[in-house]
Amino acid sequence: MDIKNAKFATKAIHAGVEPDSATGAIMTPIYQTSTYVQTHPGGHKGFEYSRSQNPTREALENSIAALENGKHGFCFGSGLAAIDAVMKILKPGDEVVSINDLYGGSFRLFDKIYKDMGIKFHFVDMSSPDNIEPFINANTKLIWMESPTNPMMSIADIEGISKIAKKHNVRLAVDNTFASPYLQNPIDLGADIVMHSVTKYLGGHSDVIMGALVCVDDELADQLYFAQYAVGAVPGPQDCFLVLRGIKTLHLRMQRTCENGAVIAKFLKEHPKVDKVYWPGFEDHPNHAIAKKQMRDFGGMISFSLVGNNYKDTERILSSTKVFTLAESLGGVESLTNHPASMTHASIPKEERDKLGISESLIRLSVGIEDVEDLKADLEQAMNF
Ligand SMILES: *Cc1c(COP(=O)(O)O)cnc(C)c1O
């Protein structure tokens, strides 16, 4: 059978990965080489120099492309380097309509680097696709979105937005980091580019910084490949190997993450110290119906605010968990806490944060795959004061 048509778990283990043609090694070797022998000028086996091609990276790129139901995959030295490669296909004067509830680092890249290079950004609430159209004009080249968003877990309708993008001949790029390909495949919903911070769920073990792009269109793929090798922000083969290994359990990790996430979200919702819980699995989440339509499950990313919105209480909770660890990042096997206002989203101006609901007491959880009873007990003791 063609692995590309296999079910997700089979693809996670097999897609893109062939036994090594030189030795038969089942696991893709770490091709720790910068260059490749040529028998005569141009006489090579498709690999010339590791900025352009590397077999370990190629296996990973094919694997991620298959998981996203795409055709072309490209890996980068970080998620932000992957976003940067998308921006490189734009020209001064071009405009981008971006979601407003955005990963802090993406906002910084757009607002502090590409704005000064002559690209105009409109930051728009995309909880309804109708909000987007007024910001599209003849210069608009790209719509940039995330769903679920970080850290407010808002849901944007990928299919609805892709219809608007197609109508105006604008490309749609989706940062799919929070969902992972296990929960959501934007290309199936009409997106042109899928981006991942591979650092998070794809790597899954908090030991690699990496990014990826996936697309279907061959011409777009040529442009992204050009940005990858002309700029050179490529990951090394050792990191690619680690992510290839991580992906083999993506489906199992995500399944447990979703199970644990549902239990923790409900626990928080009933807790007297908690004001609001942001998690797309709740029926009263404003876009629950769209989440249900475009995602296979609801994930383990949860944010919550405290009654009284008191930072002292927040600090106390964040300092006293024993299983949850206070750290930036998400998507690893271990559970993490985060304080968006001072950590991941500190680069967003306070008045923007207030508008988005990123209050002083907001805590974001990345629920890992530990025993859920221990996770619950940990939060219980940390919040018992
Ligand atoms: C982490 C993250 C990024 C940036 O990825 P890096 O690998 O840290 O460069 C982009 N988008 C989202 C949603 C993220 O969580």
Side-chain angles (χ1 to χ4, degrees):
M1 76 178 287
D2 184 356
I3 291 296
K4 283 212 154 61
N5 303 324
K7 299 237 181 342
F8 192 87
T10 311
K11 285 201 286 192
I13 292 167
H14 295 288
V17 182
E18 301 285 345
D20 182 45
S21 57
T23 63
I26 289 281
M27 288 302 135
T28 309
I30 303 167
Y31 278 94
Q32 193 78 49
T33 187
S34 63
T35 191
Y36 308 84
V37 66
Q38 305 199 6
T39 50
H40 55 275
H44 55 74
K45 299 177 176 174
F47 298 94
E48 297 156 281
Y49 185 62
S50 278
R51 173 158 37 73
S52 316
Q53 314 95 2
N54 176 280
T56 318
R57 192 175 89 219
E58 192 174 278
L60 176 61
E61 291 175 332
N62 290 338
S63 164
I64 296 175
L67 292 178
E68 282 293 6
N69 299 332
K71 189 168 160 197
H72 307 279
F74 305 96
C75 286
F76 296 85
S78 70
L80 278 167
I83 301 173
D84 183 72
V86 177
M87 293 301 133
K88 290 266 170 18
I89 68 179
L90 304 176
K91 305 258 180 308
D94 287 351
E95 300 192 12
V96 178
V97 182
S98 167
I99 198 160
N100 61 346
D101 183 6
L102 179 74
Y103 176 71
S106 310
F107 177 76
R108 186 172 50 216
L109 180 69
F110 295 168
D111 188 58
K112 294 275 187 288
I113 294 193
Y114 281 98
K115 197 175 85 183
D116 289 347
M117 295 199 178
I119 301 198
K120 189 166 176 187
F121 293 89
H122 304 271
F123 295 97
V124 177
D125 170 5
M126 294 194 183
S127 56
S128 164
D130 296 339
N131 296 349
I132 296 170
E133 219 156 9
F135 295 92
I136 296 183
N137 61 46
N139 296 327
T140 312
K141 295 285 151 53
L142 183 73
I143 298 175
W144 184 272
M145 64 169 288
E146 303 176 14
S147 183
T149 65
N150 178 24
M152 300 313 292
M153 309 304 147
S154 308
I155 299 292
D157 180 354
I158 300 173
E159 195 167 24
I161 294 172
S162 84
K163 283 190 181 131
I164 290 168
K166 284 193 170 50
K167 182 173 152 199
H168 294 277
N169 204 16
V170 171
R171 282 185 173 134
L172 172 63
V174 180
D175 179 341
N176 203 30
T177 303
F178 265 44
S180 89
Y182 175 84
L183 291 181
Q184 173 174 286
N185 295 120
I187 285 173
D188 294 348
L189 302 165
D192 299 287
I193 300 173
V194 178
M195 176 263 154
H196 279 284
S197 169
V198 173
T199 312
K200 317 294 167 52
Y201 287 110
L202 286 168
H205 296 75
S206 305
D207 50 11
V208 172
I209 297 285
M210 197 189 292
L213 299 175
V214 176
C215 72
V216 175
D217 184 73
D218 295 337
E219 199 181 315
L220 177 58
D222 287 346
Q223 290 178 300
L224 296 175
Y225 175 66
F226 186 79
Q228 184 194 38
Y229 93 89
V231 176
V234 291
Q238 171 87 36
D239 282 359
C240 293
F241 173 86
L242 285 170
V243 175
L244 277 165
R245 170 184 268 220
I247 285 176
K248 289 184 196 299
T249 54
L250 177 63
H251 51 297
L252 298 176
R253 289 186 281 107
M254 286 310 294
Q255 191 183 348
R256 177 62 68 85
T257 294
C258 291
E259 285 166 16
N260 286 359
V263 172
I264 297 298
K266 282 165 199 155
F267 162 79
L268 289 170
K269 199 167 197 179
E270 282 159 20
H271 199 284
K273 282 203 167 60
V274 173
D275 181 20
K276 289 205 176 73
V277 184
Y278 303 90
W279 183 65
F282 288 130
E283 276 175 23
D284 61 1
H285 181 287
N287 268 341
H288 176 70
I290 290 163
K292 223 171 147 176
K293 194 181 77 175
Q294 69 189 17
M295 300 172 75
R296 294 179 194 98
D297 205 337
F298 304 110
M301 294 304 300
I302 304 164
S303 294
F304 64 101
S305 59
L306 300 179
V307 172
N309 191 28
N310 183 344
Y311 177 66
K312 279 249 160 337
D313 294 346
T314 305
E315 191 177 31
R316 193 164 171 171
I317 294 170
L318 291 173
S319 313
S320 48
T321 56
K322 306 269 189 308
V323 183
F324 279 88
T325 314
L326 178 63
E328 306 239 356
S329 202
L330 60 110
V333 290
E334 70 291 321
S335 293
L336 299 180
T337 55
N338 176 288
H339 183 240
S342 67
M343 295 167 70
T344 44
H345 291 66
S347 62
I348 293 181
K350 187 175 181 314
E351 77 190 61
E352 263 312 298
R353 287 203 306 263
D354 288 345
K355 258 192 262 168
L356 295 170
I358 306 173
S359 64
E360 288 304 299
S361 77
L362 193 79
I363 294 174
R364 188 189 79 185
L365 302 180
S366 170
V367 178
I369 64 171
E370 299 95 337
D371 190 291
V372 74
E373 291 306 317
D374 291 332
L375 295 179
K376 228 162 72 175
D378 190 34
L379 292 174
E380 184 83 74
Q381 66 79 23
M383 293 166 81
N384 183 22
F385 54 84

